[in-house]
Amino acid sequence: MRWTPSILLHRMKKLSSDYSIRRIQQQVRQRVRLEQQRSDDRQFQEANRLKRLPLYLFTILDELKVQAIQEGKAVIDLGMGNPDLPPPKHVMEEMARRAKDPASYRYSRKSGEVERRLNEAIAAWYNRKFGVSLNPKTELLPLIGSKEGIAHLSLSFLNHDDVALVPNPTYPVHFSGIILAGGILYSIPIQADHRYLPNLRGISQDVARRAKLVFLSYPHNPTTAVADLKFFKDTVEWAKHYRLIIVHDFAYSDFVFDGHRAPSILEVPGAKDVAVEFHTLSKSYSLPGLRLGFAVGNADVLASLAKTKSYVDFGLFGAVQWAAIKALSGPQDYVQRVVDIYRNRRDVFVHGLQNIGWDLSMPHATFYVWAKIPLKFSALTSLEFATLLMHEAGVVVAPGSGFGEYGEGYVRFALVEPEQRLREATRRIERVLRMRD
């Protein structure tokens, strides 16, 4: 065979891409071994429930990002769903004003003025938005972010022989809270063929009778799926039959596109008998660092959650509560502007990926893109593929396995960068997709 310059160049590119993939596979496997070695070598051993947890997804993403920066790459971080838009101006101004008031620095008390007004603001907001009436004194509970409340709910209700049902893939706290509480995690695979909705009636009666909690989240992170009111009606009926608590994580209620609507499960008549719903100011109002969420719904469930929290925290900073009141009670045009920005980003990014040959459909909700790993890279795990994108393109994405074993084979992009950066990300990703087979 005559080695012409073009053949030599092709061969060099092939060797280079093979080397990159092998090197990344070795790095990922070495990372797993190192983590196990660290655990074995600790002087003080962690509780077994901590050892049962996988390495936290966003810890992995931070490590990938640090590696890319150390390699001199200008990183585009599409890994964590960390909103990049500035919050509403009137909310920031209220936060700053109240932070200057010495009274804001006292312990939060359930009977205090700001606490009462925040509860009333949450109830009024829910009624305007979903037509759901809530008793401000008994049917809602402010939280230090919805994640905290979801984790503590498992602690409030699960004994060591209690089962909790969780669709998989899912947002990690849905399963990690169960493991930390010592409960039994029962994963329900959800797949694209069934619109990522769990087949609850397909669960055996034996498992359903032993279960105490079932977790849902629509619009869904990470798959971007949506659920309609009929799905929630069927779920409420099923949960009442087995006397289960429905836990609905509703963080992305505003982020629906193309004529879709995200209903509250509490719109179903009688849902309060079995359901609680979690919301947050992190996404709709771009306030992730404020750490304020709330749970609404069944009064008895919320009373138990409040009891658990009373032993581990003293409530929310007063200035944060005043700022939340401004967000919920003030002008709401900000929310629609934010949704429009994320919809435009979705269009730019998804069309960009499609144009470079990545086969995926347009998501109808959230500000994520859930993408099956291209066929030519299917021999890689999702973590290995995410590492490849970081090393070769400087683009950080979330590996699907971080959301549960049924997320393997996928990656999640968070659209938390401006449109021009998303266009740049697609150009960089194209170079990876064009790597020689």
Side-chain angles (χ1 to χ4, degrees):
M1 179 179 181
R2 185 164 173 260
W3 292 91
T4 65
S6 61
I7 292 175
L8 282 169
L9 181 61
H10 173 86
R11 181 68 175 161
M12 288 171 66
K13 287 181 177 178
K14 173 74 166 58
L15 289 170
S16 175
S17 63
D18 284 350
Y19 171 72
S20 295
I21 291 172
R22 286 199 304 272
R23 177 169 57 91
I24 283 162
Q25 288 177 315
Q26 290 168 357
Q27 284 180 348
V28 170
R29 290 162 189 167
Q30 183 180 5
R31 174 71 181 81
V32 173
R33 289 194 296 269
L34 180 61
E35 189 64 29
Q36 183 61 52
Q37 188 64 45
R38 284 175 182 168
S39 177
D40 293 343
D41 291 347
R42 288 175 65 98
Q43 179 181 357
F44 304 108
Q45 288 296 308
E46 296 173 333
N48 288 336
R49 59 182 173 272
L50 272 183
K51 293 180 180 179
R52 287 173 59 199
L53 290 170
L55 187 63
Y56 187 47
L57 170 64
F58 299 113
T59 301
I60 297 171
L61 296 183
D62 284 343
E63 290 181 357
L64 292 178
K65 186 174 178 178
V66 168
Q67 287 176 24
I69 292 171
Q70 288 174 344
E71 292 172 4
K73 291 183 172 64
V75 170
I76 299 176
D77 189 353
L78 308 181
M80 186 178 183
N82 189 6
D84 62 309
L85 299 171
K89 186 178 179 182
H90 63 279
V91 176
M92 292 191 290
E93 289 173 347
E94 180 72 358
M95 180 74 184
R97 185 170 75 87
R98 295 291 182 171
K100 295 177 182 178
D101 182 357
S104 293
Y105 294 85
R106 303 198 68 186
Y107 285 129
S108 179
R109 300 297 298 271
K110 187 177 179 180
S111 58
E113 180 193 2
V114 65
E115 290 79 6
R116 174 182 57 80
R117 290 181 60 176
L118 176 58
N119 284 12
E120 290 170 352
I122 293 169
W125 182 86
Y126 241 84
N127 189 261
R128 287 194 310 270
K129 201 169 185 66
F130 305 108
V132 173
S133 296
L134 298 168
N135 183 327
K137 295 181 179 179
T138 60
E139 293 182 332
L140 61 85
L141 179 67
L143 305 165
I144 309 173
S146 59
K147 179 180 177 181
E148 168 265 307
I150 291 169
H152 280 135
L153 191 74
S154 289
L155 191 62
S156 302
F157 284 96
L158 294 179
N159 297 309
H160 288 270
D161 56 350
D162 289 328
V163 172
L165 310 173
V166 183
N168 186 325
T170 192
Y171 182 53
V173 75
H174 298 167
F175 57 77
S176 62
I178 295 163
I179 294 170
L180 287 171
I184 299 171
L185 171 64
Y186 184 92
S187 291
I188 310 168
I190 54 174
Q191 297 167 333
D193 322 7
H194 297 95
R195 298 181 297 132
Y196 289 110
L197 297 173
N199 178 15
L200 298 175
R201 296 187 185 275
I203 297 170
S204 73
Q205 290 188 2
D206 180 56
V207 171
R209 288 194 186 104
R210 292 182 61 198
K212 240 181 184 176
L213 304 172
V214 57
F215 288 80
L216 300 172
S217 180
Y218 294 96
H220 190 253
N221 175 18
T223 69
T224 77
V226 292
D228 58 20
L229 202 57
K230 181 183 182 304
F231 169 79
F232 287 132
K233 286 178 180 176
D234 292 344
T235 302
V236 168
E237 179 185 319
W238 176 82
K240 284 185 175 183
H241 177 75
Y242 288 106
R243 300 183 66 184
L244 277 138
I245 300 168
I246 301 171
V247 184
H248 184 224
D249 185 352
F250 204 25
Y252 298 91
S253 65
D254 287 304
F255 295 88
V256 284
F257 317 113
D258 311 321
H260 288 272
R261 177 181 178 270
S264 164
I265 195 171
L266 300 182
E267 293 177 38
V268 176
K272 283 185 195 175
D273 295 341
V274 291
V276 289
E277 192 161 69
F278 286 80
H279 215 292
T280 174
L281 271 64
S282 296
K283 307 302 190 293
S284 298
Y285 300 94
S286 305
L287 292 165
L290 201 68
R291 305 314 305 140
L292 193 141
F294 45 87
V296 301
N298 185 278
D300 289 338
V301 172
L302 294 181
S304 295
L305 177 56
K307 180 179 178 181
T308 300
K309 284 173 55 59
S310 71
Y311 288 99
V312 295
D313 72 62
F314 268 112
L316 292 147
F317 178 37
V320 165
Q321 296 186 68
W322 286 115
I325 292 168
K326 277 290 184 185
L328 296 169
S329 304
Q332 298 298 301
D333 54 328
Y334 171 87
V335 177
Q336 188 55 55
R337 289 200 304 273
V338 165
V339 172
D340 290 343
I341 289 170
Y342 283 114
R343 183 182 62 248
N344 292 338
R345 290 179 178 182
R346 175 204 66 165
D347 294 346
V348 165
F349 191 65
V350 172
H351 287 144
L353 290 180
Q354 290 171 337
N355 289 338
I356 63 174
W358 198 322
D359 183 21
L360 73 166
S361 56
M362 189 70 73
H364 296 303
T366 74
F367 50 56
Y368 301 114
V369 175
W370 182 243
K372 191 171 182 61
I373 294 173
L375 183 62
K376 70 182 290 184
F377 297 100
S378 58
L380 300 180
T381 67
S382 59
L383 179 55
E384 289 168 349
F385 183 69
T387 306
L388 179 70
L389 287 180
M390 182 274 292
H391 276 295
E392 299 297 322
V395 176
V396 179
V397 303
S401 58
F403 301 96
E405 62 268 34
Y406 292 99
E408 186 55 80
Y410 289 79
V411 291
R412 191 200 70 179
F413 298 91
L415 305 178
V416 291
E417 290 277 3
E419 290 179 23
Q420 67 270 22
R421 296 273 287 168
L422 294 175
R423 290 189 180 94
E424 171 62 20
T426 60
R427 286 192 288 270
R428 296 186 189 184
I429 292 169
E430 182 177 17
R431 295 199 295 269
V432 176
L433 298 191
R434 299 284 182 263
M435 289 173 73
R436 299 288 182 178
D437 293 335

